[in-house]
Amino acid sequence: MTRTAPQFLFDFGSPNAYLSHLAIPAIEQRIGVKFEYVPILLGGIFKSTNNKSPAETLAGIKNKREFHQVETERFIKRFHVQPYVWNPHFPINTLNLMRTAIAAQLEGVFEKYVEAAFHHMWREPKKMDDPEIAAKALASSGLDAQKLFARAGEPEVKGRLIKNTEEAVARGAFGSPTFFVGNEMFFGKEQLREVEEMVSGK
């Protein structure tokens, strides 16, 4: 039986997408299937769906932010991942980072780029919407930042990111991380258990 490859729709601006990224390798080993990473623009999804970031939606609501913290701690313990380091420059405009993710796909360095961009957002946090800072960070991870940034400015790359984002909304997405197994959608890092169960046929 061929198992359906789960899709991971992500934006580097989401710390929960980063935690999902850390948890995915162990899940891939267990299910014997690689996740397909799909770059989307979270700002574009929010605009299309009238959604807002948790930083806004949790503000001023008694107990909700505290519960989210408990939920995150449970996730970290369950999946044996390191917690993220809060980025002091948040929120960060990720438009160029996400366009560069598409460029990295076309240049054949996608996995290396994803690892580097998440690292410099949520492990050793930097102001990644500053082109100079981002270029230095990516170069320190062994990437040709200037080449990738140049490619990211091409109409084909910009168009592909728009297409990914519009298709995500059309399929039901309203934030990141979002996962799809076939047409079944799952939202939030906590849903990774359900994704694993569905792919495994449990």
Side-chain angles (χ1 to χ4, degrees):
M1 185 183 81
T2 304
R3 289 179 173 177
T4 304
Q7 291 180 309
F8 171 37
L9 279 58
F10 74 97
D11 183 304
F12 296 118
S14 164
N16 288 325
Y18 170 66
L19 291 177
S20 300
H21 169 68
L22 294 182
I24 282 171
I27 297 172
E28 289 177 331
Q29 279 197 319
R30 289 194 293 270
I31 63 178
V33 180
K34 293 280 283 182
F35 278 66
E36 179 194 348
Y37 278 55
V38 181
I40 50 91
L41 185 64
L42 192 52
I45 285 184
F46 282 171
K47 192 172 179 182
S48 294
T49 60
N50 201 30
N51 195 6
K52 293 181 174 67
S53 74
E56 291 180 82
T57 59
L58 299 182
I61 301 177
K62 186 176 172 62
N63 298 332
K64 194 171 182 182
R65 185 184 295 276
E66 289 79 3
F67 173 72
H68 275 255
Q69 185 57 41
V70 169
E71 204 170 43
T72 295
E73 286 166 8
R74 287 176 185 154
F75 181 91
I76 287 165
K77 189 179 285 187
R78 179 183 302 122
F79 288 100
H80 308 290
V81 296
Q82 287 185 306
Y84 57 80
V85 179
W86 183 251
N87 194 315
H89 307 288
F90 188 87
I92 285 175
N93 184 329
T94 57
L95 177 60
N96 287 331
L97 284 178
M98 298 317 301
R99 282 177 175 167
T100 307
I102 302 286
Q105 284 181 322
L106 298 174
E107 291 290 330
V109 292
F110 183 60
E111 286 189 19
K112 188 174 184 179
Y113 174 77
V114 168
E115 199 63 49
F118 268 133
H119 178 86
H120 295 294
M121 277 288 293
W122 300 111
R123 175 54 40 203
E124 295 180 19
K126 299 171 183 69
K127 186 171 170 49
M128 292 296 284
D129 52 4
D130 181 314
E132 281 189 32
I133 291 171
K136 280 183 188 173
L138 295 173
S140 76
S141 295
L143 290 155
D144 187 338
Q146 299 307 331
K147 184 179 182 183
L148 289 172
F149 285 171
R151 190 86 194 254
E154 293 178 3
E156 177 197 358
V157 170
K158 294 178 179 179
R160 193 178 292 196
L161 182 61
I162 290 169
K163 184 169 180 280
N164 283 0
T165 303
E166 289 176 345
E167 285 180 355
V169 172
R171 294 172 75 190
F174 53 87
S176 173
T178 296
F179 307 93
F180 282 96
V181 181
N183 292 321
E184 291 283 334
M185 186 182 100
F186 302 85
F187 173 72
K189 64 185 185 299
E190 291 76 18
Q191 294 285 304
L192 270 171
R193 283 189 296 181
E194 278 71 23
V195 171
E196 181 173 347
E197 285 176 6
M198 176 163 272
V199 175
S200 300
K202 290 179 181 176

